[in-house]
Amino acid sequence: MVDDVLARIETTADRWRHCAGCRRWWPRRALAPRWTCPGCAAPFRMSAVDRIGFLVDAGTFQEHEAALTPGDPLDFRDRIPYPLRHARTRERTGLREAALLGTAAIAGRRVVLVVFDFDFLGGSMGVVVGEKVARGAEIALHERVPLLTVSASGGGRMQEGAFALVQGAKTAAAIGALREAGVPYLSVLTDPVIGGVQVSFASAGDVVLAEEGTRAGFAGRRVIEQTTGRTLPADFQTAAFLLRHGHVDLVVPRHELPGCLGRLVAYATRAAAREPTGGTGAPASLARPVEAVDPWDAVLAVRAAHRPRLAHYLDTVFTDVLELHGDRLRADDPTIFTGLARLAGDPVVVIGHNRVTDGSRPRNGGMALPAGYRKATRAMTLAERWSIPVVTLVDTPGAHPDAEADNQSAAIAETMLTAARLATPVLCAVIGEGGSGGALALAIGDRLLMQQNATFSVISPEGCAAILFSDSAKAPEAARALHLRATDLHRHGLIDEVVDEPPGGAHTAPALAGELLAAALRRHLAELRGQSGPALVTRRSRRLRALGRAWCRHGDVATDAGRATDATGRNGVHSG
């Protein structure tokens, strides 16, 4: 069907394209398949037909609802009647409407896709386009395969008035049904996406990608400037702007888009074949040396610059890591990493504190801002929708203390509330410093592990000493009193396992430290997989409910509530 449309297009006068970059004219055939300028590599706007041919596996696209055309409910006329304008656009583009709906395969996996064509009345959404988006969501829901939309639109179709406006409600409701059912939805923004399409469904994907060079937003630049009377920044609504302000997960160069979508569809397709799981040859544990490290020395060691951090474990524990950005509200805090990855071939969502500054993206020593915790919450919700386990790696002295205006407290609270009730496995590991509520937000799950030399505490030793001893110099004494080492916490029943490190610490053999952590994560995830979402939530709730109950007293007698064992015989604080 795509070939038929392409043949119709080739019979029109649209055989040459002008490059806005180098200002040269190029024959249409010379631009395929990427539609970038042969002279300066600037991207050309792609038709829906070319876009489909570029993204999907050859010969797999099957069009649906091809015959739909709109009526003229308003008897609308500007310079010419709407039916005549529509007919002329059909003849010029070879298309019946501004979007194509169909099914296809991407990297061998079936998807439903709706692809817009800006050359058809500016990619505007009227009753037919709205119907195709809603119908695409219904097909995806029925077949339980991902929906992919590729948007390029100036907004609602003016010639259809309020009939066009309410398509936003219809498409939003259709995407909401997908979200409720846990059917993945991927949205790709291409230049431009404005108004009704952006506010109803294009910005609501589980994952939102912007093609490099895209502009997207609620209203066009000219409208905003005329309405507000102010001059907007030069990069306003550009892909870089969207990424910096947390509106999109990724900005992808056009030539990388098929490969990126292939990876995302593989994660989003629960029935996708996985690489065989199994060991890496790493030992599950080492003979632990006699513990002689003073708690204050442990604090200093875990803060040391040479200790392996998140980036090291992303490289050694996981494969096929794909970072996702943004809180979808106002920012992308690089202190919190979120992304998709594979652990021994199995898909997981990874969330972790990233405390190492790379020069261009300050990370505040691992102290996350509210946008970071909102991003973590969004990643957890994505994992639940796609039925993928969550792995968190904790390494922070605490949340950023100077973020009250952006409601740091509520951001952390929402992350905790989400983690506590998430209907998918949640496995947490402290790999460095675990400080206060900023660490706890990523330490709520079915199991909590700690590397042997990590720490986990309600407050920093310095803070404790300043408050209780009125002398921050007594931080070493406070560290000893806080029992913040992994072995202390395991003895108290507050964590589930101490993960061995190489003798002398993780920094002495970083690769081995990664293997040991990977082995522990694999083992615990294997125990958690296969449990239903409700069962996970029930057991996690029981585990969290039991924390510390053994130390609740009636008068001078400790209660037995916290000492109860579950069916496995494990102490209540350990039940997973």
Side-chain angles (χ1 to χ4, degrees):
M1 295 185 180
V2 172
D3 291 339
D4 293 340
V5 176
L6 185 59
R8 291 199 299 272
I9 291 176
E10 284 299 292
T11 64
T12 71
D14 187 23
R15 294 174 180 169
W16 292 82
R17 292 293 175 93
H18 182 253
C19 176
C22 64
R23 300 185 180 279
R24 295 176 64 185
W25 287 89
W26 298 95
R28 187 179 188 282
R29 288 290 188 183
L31 305 178
R34 295 181 181 176
W35 279 82
T36 53
C37 176
C40 68
F44 283 80
R45 184 170 289 146
M46 296 180 78
S47 71
V49 172
D50 289 308
R51 181 73 69 174
I52 292 170
F54 180 59
L55 293 179
V56 310
D57 298 350
T60 63
F61 180 74
Q62 294 292 320
E63 189 175 3
H64 292 243
E65 309 294 352
L68 289 180
T69 56
D72 184 17
L74 306 182
D75 193 22
F76 192 95
R77 181 188 183 97
D78 45 71
R79 290 188 298 273
I80 61 174
Y82 174 44
L84 179 57
R85 183 179 297 280
H86 195 276
R88 289 178 177 178
T89 304
R90 289 202 311 268
E91 181 180 0
R92 179 176 58 81
T93 62
L95 299 173
R96 285 184 174 271
E97 253 297 340
L100 291 176
L101 162 67
T103 55
I106 294 180
R109 295 175 173 88
R110 185 171 174 82
V111 299
V112 179
L113 70 162
V114 181
V115 181
F116 280 68
D117 195 311
F118 192 81
D119 283 345
F120 197 106
L121 297 180
S124 55
M125 180 166 67
V127 293
V128 171
V129 171
E131 183 65 23
K132 288 188 176 186
V133 173
R135 180 61 183 142
E138 290 167 351
I139 297 170
L141 181 61
H142 176 72
E143 297 190 16
R144 300 199 68 83
V145 298
L147 172 68
L148 167 65
T149 63
V150 183
S151 300
S153 174
R157 186 166 299 173
M158 292 178 288
Q159 292 89 343
E160 296 183 22
F163 288 93
L165 176 65
V166 298
Q167 299 311 303
K170 177 163 74 176
T171 56
I175 297 304
L178 284 187
R179 181 175 292 185
E180 185 176 340
V183 175
Y185 167 42
L186 307 175
S187 174
V188 177
L189 310 180
T190 69
D191 190 51
V193 189
I194 301 295
V197 168
Q198 176 72 347
V199 303
S200 57
F201 66 89
S203 62
D206 294 334
V207 178
V208 179
L209 288 71
E211 184 178 67
E212 202 170 65
T214 291
R215 297 162 295 158
F218 172 60
R221 182 188 188 97
R222 183 175 60 183
V223 172
I224 296 174
E225 289 185 332
Q226 289 177 349
T227 302
T228 65
R230 63 188 179 92
T231 302
L232 296 170
D235 70 341
F236 182 71
Q237 294 183 334
T238 63
F241 176 94
L242 298 173
L243 185 66
R244 185 171 68 252
H245 288 278
H247 298 181
V248 299
D249 291 279
L250 294 165
V251 173
V252 185
R254 179 173 291 175
H255 69 277
E256 296 180 8
L257 193 56
C260 184
L261 284 174
R263 294 170 69 189
L264 283 169
V265 169
Y267 278 114
T269 307
R270 281 170 289 188
R274 294 200 289 254
E275 303 167 30
T277 59
T280 62
S285 63
L286 294 174
R288 190 175 290 118
V290 177
E291 185 178 339
V293 177
D294 180 82
W296 178 243
D297 291 335
V299 170
L300 296 178
V302 85
R303 294 174 177 174
H306 55 60
R307 183 172 178 83
R309 302 295 178 187
L310 176 71
H312 169 73
Y313 293 113
L314 290 176
D315 288 340
T316 59
V317 174
F318 305 97
T319 58
D320 193 28
V321 178
L322 181 62
E323 184 174 5
L324 303 177
H325 296 268
D327 67 351
R328 295 285 178 86
L329 291 176
R330 60 181 299 173
D332 176 43
D333 179 11
T335 307
I336 296 287
F337 171 93
T338 63
L340 296 158
R342 294 186 184 274
L343 178 62
D346 291 323
V348 295
V349 167
V350 181
I351 306 171
H353 295 98
N354 199 353
R355 62 191 294 162
V356 179
T357 298
D358 64 6
S360 61
R361 306 181 75 197
R363 297 194 173 106
N364 304 313
M367 296 183 292
L369 295 164
Y373 291 106
R374 287 193 290 263
K375 179 167 65 170
T377 302
R378 193 173 71 81
M380 291 177 182
T381 304
L382 173 65
E384 182 178 53
R385 282 186 207 145
W386 291 12
S387 297
I388 298 176
V390 174
V391 176
T392 69
L393 300 179
V394 179
D395 186 11
T396 178
H400 201 290
D402 186 21
E404 295 302 313
D406 205 16
N407 205 347
Q408 180 75 285
S409 300
I412 292 174
E414 286 300 322
T415 303
M416 292 185 183
L417 292 172
T418 301
R421 306 298 296 175
L422 209 63
T424 196
V426 183
L427 180 56
C428 310
V430 183
I431 61 171
E433 230 178 336
S436 191
L440 184 62
L442 299 190
I444 296 175
D446 302 294
R447 306 280 170 83
L448 177 57
L449 318 181
M450 283 182 69
Q451 285 188 305
Q452 182 183 347
N453 295 313
T455 62
F456 195 56
S457 177
V458 68
I459 193 172
S460 70
E462 295 90 341
C464 178
I467 294 171
L468 298 183
F469 303 143
S470 300
D471 184 359
S472 59
K474 292 188 176 181
E477 184 178 344
R480 299 178 192 110
L482 285 168
H483 286 213
L484 44 66
R485 295 172 302 181
T487 49
D488 299 326
L489 298 168
H490 189 259
R491 184 172 65 251
H492 290 310
L494 296 177
I495 68 169
D496 294 275
E497 182 177 327
V498 178
V499 179
D500 287 332
E501 295 185 29
H507 66 282
T508 64
L512 178 57
E515 292 173 357
L516 291 166
L517 179 61
L521 294 175
R522 287 198 308 271
R523 179 163 32 84
H524 283 277
L525 274 182
E527 295 174 9
L528 294 169
R529 285 186 188 276
Q531 298 184 38
S532 69
L536 283 165
V537 172
T538 297
R539 290 173 65 86
R540 189 182 309 136
S541 297
R542 190 164 69 238
R543 173 187 184 274
L544 297 172
R545 180 68 178 83
L547 291 172
R549 288 184 68 191
W551 292 94
C552 295
R553 297 175 180 271
H554 292 292
D556 294 328
V557 181
T559 70
D560 291 328
R563 305 182 193 279
T565 56
D566 64 11
T568 66
R570 302 175 68 191
N571 186 283
V573 297
H574 295 250
S575 63

